[in-house]
Each structure stands twice: as structure tokens, then as C-alpha cells.
Amino acid sequence: MKLKKYAVLLVVVLTLFMSACARNTANQRTSLLTIQQQGSFMVGGTTISEPGKFNLTNALKPQGQTLHGDHAYVFYQIPPKARKYPLVFLHGAAESKKTWESTPDGREGFQTIFLRRGFGVYLLDQPRRGEAGKSTVASSLAPTPDEQFWFTQFRIGNYPDYFDGSQFPRDTAALEQFFRQMTPNTGNFDVNLIATACSQLFDRIGDGILITHSQGGGPGWFTAIKNEKVKAVVAYEPFSSFVFPVGELPKPIQSASLFGELKGVEVPLSDFEKLTRIPIMIYYGDNIAKEPTIVWNKDHWRAGLEMAKIWAATINKHGGKATVVHLPETGIKGNTHFPFSDLNNLQIAALLSDFLKEKKLD
């Protein structure tokens, strides 16, 4: 009889717990979201002109006309009584600002999570990507089926299998949303062009925190070099364009990556030292090889993580404040290349909040 009562009590407790969890999730989605300012604009870019005189009666001819392109697109939201520094979000390869918006399964992304926490948020589409697709250089877009490659490259799993414990939502609708958010380049990827546009954004908005993802890591370092208004950099899984002082470039890291060896980039010491004056935090997720392996996606990111550690050590040797966090080593497991949109993105957001608080940047 007592066992039956305990069983009923356990069911009641579990029901209340599940209801509370559901209410918390619903509250996050439906609680009032207050925005004082919202808008969008273009920043940076170049202009080309066709020689000649514009002919109004034959206006389809290019003579005497201009083309504005290679700018970044910026969407922003500012809450009332915003915190000291806004957050500027730069996406990675094959992505756009959508990366920071709603997650593939419809949960709130970092855009809204940190808006709710009182931060102004600025989301970029880099030059020649997404809503900044107007390019001044020619390109060719071929409809190439490659989504299973990206599934594997981004460590969701080894297609068609998900990694055990993967934090990526596993329903087919979420995967379709993920595939559909991927966005092609409309011109070649240009680190300096992107960094220049990002720097001009900071010139416009003032001091802020730069948050990058993957391929955006390289332009992020160069943005911080160009502009002292960047007060910190948080990078999620950067891979390429790690910068080192002239004479301190490490040997390329060999791996089974489909992109070959990973090399650093030399910059003048005076430029490198600018990165030592701000706090830098780097995060990597799970399913990255600890030792060389023929599993190419795990080995690709092993090289990236290894280079990041060498880079951070070089920053700190020169008096900087760079930290590399490998999430599974802290007990946070299952994250893909997109920890900020995985199922545990609130836990990942808490780490960012803690970093900003610790460094007095909030």
C-alpha cells in the first residue's frame, strides 16, 4: 500500500516538474520582448563606375553608370536601458546572419537570448553573402548538391548517422531548415574586405564585443587589429587565418581534412600586439579527434583546435589574455560546430554571459 502511495506521489512530482519545464520554455518564447530601436543599414563597400555618359533614352547601357557593392548588411535591435557594450555577430562559411537568429528547430537563438539579457545586438551578413550579396567581382554559382558534406564537416555526425549524444535536434524538419539556411558566396571570400566593413561598423556604433563563428574568426582578428573599439572577441570554432607575428609562424598542421594542411598567417608584431590588449575567448565543441585519425571531419577540427591553442599561447606569451575552452573537457558534451544553436544553447549562452561579467564587459 505504501509503495503504491509512493508511486502515485512520484508520478505527481514528475508531472509537476515536466509542467514547470514546459512553462519555462513557453515563458522564454512568449514573455514580453521590448525593443527601443530596430533597423538595418549597409556599411563599408566599394563603388565601380563605367566610363562615358549616362543616356536617359538608352538607360540599359552601362556607360556613365555606377555599381555599389562589397558592403556588409547589418540588422540591429537595441533594448531599453541597454548594457554598456553591444554584441556584434559575424557568421561563418556557407552561413549568413540567420546563424544567430532562431535555431533550426525554432528555439530562440543568440540574437534574442542576449537581447532579452539587455544587450544591443548587431547581426552582419558579410560582403558577398546573404543580404549583402551585391558584389563588384564576377562569380559563377552552380547548383551543386553538397549538403551531406556540410552535415559531416560541421560534425552533426557522419552522414547519415548523428554522433551519439549530439546536441543537434534530430527531427527531419529541423535538418531541412538547417540545409535551407545555407547561403552561397556571390564573389570570392576576402578577409580584408570583410574586416574593413566590420571595422567601419564599429566606427559607426562605437565600442562593442565582436562574436564570430568558424570562417568569420579570421576577419574577426583583423577587425580587432584595425579598430580599438573592439573591446573583446569571442570566437566559436575558428579555423583559418590565425595570425602570428613575423618570425613566429608555427609549422603547418597536417590532417586528413579535405582542405589540406592548416597554416597560420604572418602579421607585423605591432599589429599582433593589438590583439594582446583585449580579452579573447575561443570555444570548441565535441567529436574532435584527440590524436590524428583518418576520420576527416574529426581530424579537420583537431587541426583547428591545435592551432587555436598554439595561437592563444602566443598571444599570452606577448602579454595577452586569450583562453581556449574545449567544451567536453568541462563536462559539456555533444556540441556540434554550432554550439550557439544546439539543444543546449542556453547553457552555452550562460558561458558567454559569465565571460562578459568576469571581464566587466556587461
Side-chain angles (χ1 to χ4, degrees):
M1 216 39 201
K2 287 184 178 180
L3 287 176
K4 185 175 181 180
K5 288 181 179 179
Y6 285 133
V8 171
L9 180 61
L10 180 60
V11 170
V12 171
V13 170
L14 287 173
T15 301
L16 291 173
F17 175 75
M18 295 299 291
S19 297
C21 290
R23 284 197 301 274
N24 287 339
T25 302
N27 286 341
Q28 181 193 348
R29 292 181 178 177
T30 62
S31 59
L32 184 65
L33 183 63
T34 306
I35 303 170
Q36 185 170 344
Q37 298 177 49
Q38 174 175 295
S40 60
F41 55 88
M42 309 296 182
V43 65
T46 56
T47 306
I48 60 176
S49 302
E50 182 72 17
K53 185 178 180 179
F54 174 64
N55 186 341
L56 183 60
T57 61
N58 201 349
L60 292 178
K61 286 189 174 182
Q63 283 74 28
Q65 301 205 54
T66 59
L67 170 65
H68 289 71
D70 298 344
H71 44 258
Y73 171 86
V74 182
F75 176 80
Y76 69 91
Q77 294 175 309
I78 311 295
K81 298 179 181 179
R83 293 177 182 264
K84 182 178 181 181
Y85 295 122
L87 307 182
V88 175
F89 293 92
L90 177 62
H91 58 80
E95 296 292 319
S96 68
K97 62 184 177 61
K98 178 65 180 74
T99 250
W100 308 105
E101 298 172 356
S102 299
T103 66
D105 60 338
R107 291 168 294 113
E108 290 185 344
F110 270 26
Q111 172 191 4
T112 310
I113 290 171
F114 282 94
L115 184 65
R116 290 190 185 280
R117 296 181 184 187
F119 291 91
V121 294
Y122 290 80
L123 278 60
L124 280 85
D125 276 353
Q126 71 185 32
R128 304 171 183 169
R129 188 81 61 81
E131 294 193 65
K134 199 174 181 184
S135 172
T136 66
V137 298
S139 65
S140 177
L141 298 179
T144 305
D146 61 358
E147 291 168 350
Q148 286 63 39
F149 157 74
W150 290 112
F151 178 103
T152 309
Q153 171 74 2
F154 290 156
R155 302 193 328 281
I156 296 171
N158 288 326
Y159 192 86
D161 299 319
Y162 290 80
F163 284 130
D164 290 341
S166 173
Q167 294 279 4
F168 189 89
R170 299 197 181 200
D171 59 287
T172 55
L175 185 58
E176 179 170 346
Q177 285 291 312
F178 173 74
F179 285 151
R180 291 191 181 279
Q181 79 181 39
M182 300 184 71
T183 307
N185 287 322
T186 56
N188 61 293
F189 176 82
D190 187 323
V191 171
N192 186 62
L193 188 71
I194 298 167
T196 298
C198 288
S199 178
Q200 291 181 21
L201 172 61
F202 280 93
D203 284 338
R204 177 165 175 164
I205 69 174
D207 296 345
I209 313 300
L210 178 59
I211 301 174
T212 68
H213 177 229
S214 192
Q215 190 182 54
W221 312 137
F222 284 103
T223 300
I225 288 171
K226 287 176 179 288
N227 203 315
E228 63 182 9
K229 293 181 174 66
V230 178
K231 296 304 178 183
V233 177
V234 178
Y236 291 95
E237 300 217 346
F239 183 79
S240 55
S241 298
F242 283 101
V243 297
F244 292 87
V246 172
E248 298 185 46
L249 195 65
K251 293 180 179 179
I253 299 176
Q254 306 298 321
S255 77
S257 168
L258 303 185
F259 297 96
E261 63 184 16
L262 176 57
K263 299 178 180 179
V265 177
E266 281 191 321
V267 297
L269 177 60
S270 58
D271 282 348
F272 183 82
E273 287 178 336
K274 294 176 182 177
L275 297 173
T276 70
R277 300 168 190 163
I278 59 173
I280 296 172
M281 178 65 77
I282 301 176
Y283 294 103
Y284 285 90
D286 210 338
N287 295 299
I288 297 174
K290 295 181 180 179
E291 303 291 339
T293 173
I294 60 172
V295 183
W296 57 264
N297 57 341
K298 291 188 175 185
D299 211 45
H300 174 96
W301 293 105
R302 174 192 61 80
L305 177 56
E306 184 177 330
M307 184 66 82
K309 290 179 178 179
I310 295 171
W311 181 81
T314 307
I315 287 280
N316 296 339
K317 182 182 72 173
H318 285 269
K321 303 173 286 279
T323 304
V324 177
V325 174
H326 190 197
L327 292 170
E329 293 178 2
T330 70
I332 300 175
K333 298 183 178 181
N335 282 108
T336 69
H337 187 49
F338 298 83
F340 44 79
S341 60
D342 284 334
L343 292 170
N344 64 337
N345 70 339
L346 286 174
Q347 186 178 23
I348 303 302
L351 296 179
L352 176 52
S353 290
D354 290 345
F355 167 76
L356 295 174
K357 183 176 182 179
E358 177 192 345
K359 300 302 180 182
K360 296 181 171 51
L361 299 169
D362 62 348

